[in-house]
Amino acid sequence: SLELRYVHGVALTLAGQTAEGRKALELACRYDWEARSRVRLAELCMRDQDWTHALVHLNRVAEAWPRLTRPRALRAACLRRLRYRTAARAEAAEALTIDGQDPLLQIEAMFCETSEGRSATLPARLRKALLAQVRGQEPPLLEAAFDYLAVGLLAEAETTVRLVPEPGPLATLTLAY
């Protein structure tokens, strides 16, 4: 079944057998499992810094499932890394109209606003608005940081964890990683 192929692909990838995992995920790219599989394939491409190939998968997900916000945030990150700054800003802004409360989207929009795209200096007004929305809580920011870690964007993950006003043990361990 496609579900088993997907789970098998994820397991192989997590076990370090990336090539075999990629094959299983490619076989699962049909029907209800296409979005999940394509996002995982895009994650693998992003880890390899193959932004263009990651965009192929993320573009397909955005076309077929435009209301999925995590792939849209990853798409904005790819566009930002490819230096398509205007397109990255537009993607983040459009996705925020779907879910303006998504911390990953808000943080990606902040990265798109910075001059370098990876700067630790995020716009203060946006940072304050995000912290007010998540009530200064650690879990939503850590989830966004883990999304960045999953695709190999370490600087973005570090910047996201550093947004936590009072980091607990998990945030501290994440920074140490």
Side-chain angles (χ1 to χ4, degrees), residues 12-138:
L12 287 169
T13 302
L14 292 174
Q17 299 176 23
T18 309
E20 292 300 315
R22 189 182 309 263
K23 287 178 190 173
L25 289 168
E26 287 169 353
L27 291 172
C29 275
R30 286 176 284 194
Y31 308 115
D32 292 343
W33 292 92
E34 183 177 3
R36 291 177 189 95
S37 298
R38 285 195 179 273
V39 171
R40 290 290 184 161
L41 288 166
E43 287 176 3
L44 292 174
C45 292
M46 290 176 78
R47 279 186 219 152
D48 295 338
Q49 297 185 356
D50 185 357
W51 313 114
T52 306
H53 194 205
L55 271 178
V56 170
H57 296 297
L58 294 169
N59 287 342
R60 171 67 181 132
V61 173
E63 289 169 10
W65 298 275
R67 299 192 60 78
L68 296 177
T69 55
R70 182 174 179 270
R72 302 284 299 269
L74 296 179
R75 186 172 181 229
C78 281
L79 290 167
R80 177 173 50 84
R81 284 302 184 105
L82 287 168
R83 301 193 191 283
Y84 296 130
R85 316 245 338 117
T86 305
R89 279 190 209 103
E91 179 66 19
E94 186 179 329
L96 280 168
T97 63
I98 296 166
D99 183 1
Q101 302 293 308
D102 185 334
L104 177 64
L105 277 174
Q106 291 179 338
I107 293 165
E108 185 55 39
M110 284 189 260
F111 283 126
C112 290
E113 291 298 321
T114 61
S115 60
E116 299 166 12
R118 292 190 289 163
S119 172
T121 326
L122 298 175
R125 69 177 169 77
L126 297 175
R127 194 172 57 239
K128 286 178 185 175
L130 173 66
L131 290 175
Q133 179 217 312
V134 300
R135 298 183 182 122
Q137 297 295 310
E138 188 174 295

Side-chain angles (χ1 to χ4, degrees), residues 161-177:
V161 173
R162 291 195 186 283
L163 289 173
V164 177
E166 295 177 29
L170 189 53
T172 305
L173 284 170
T174 304
L175 282 173
Y177 172 76

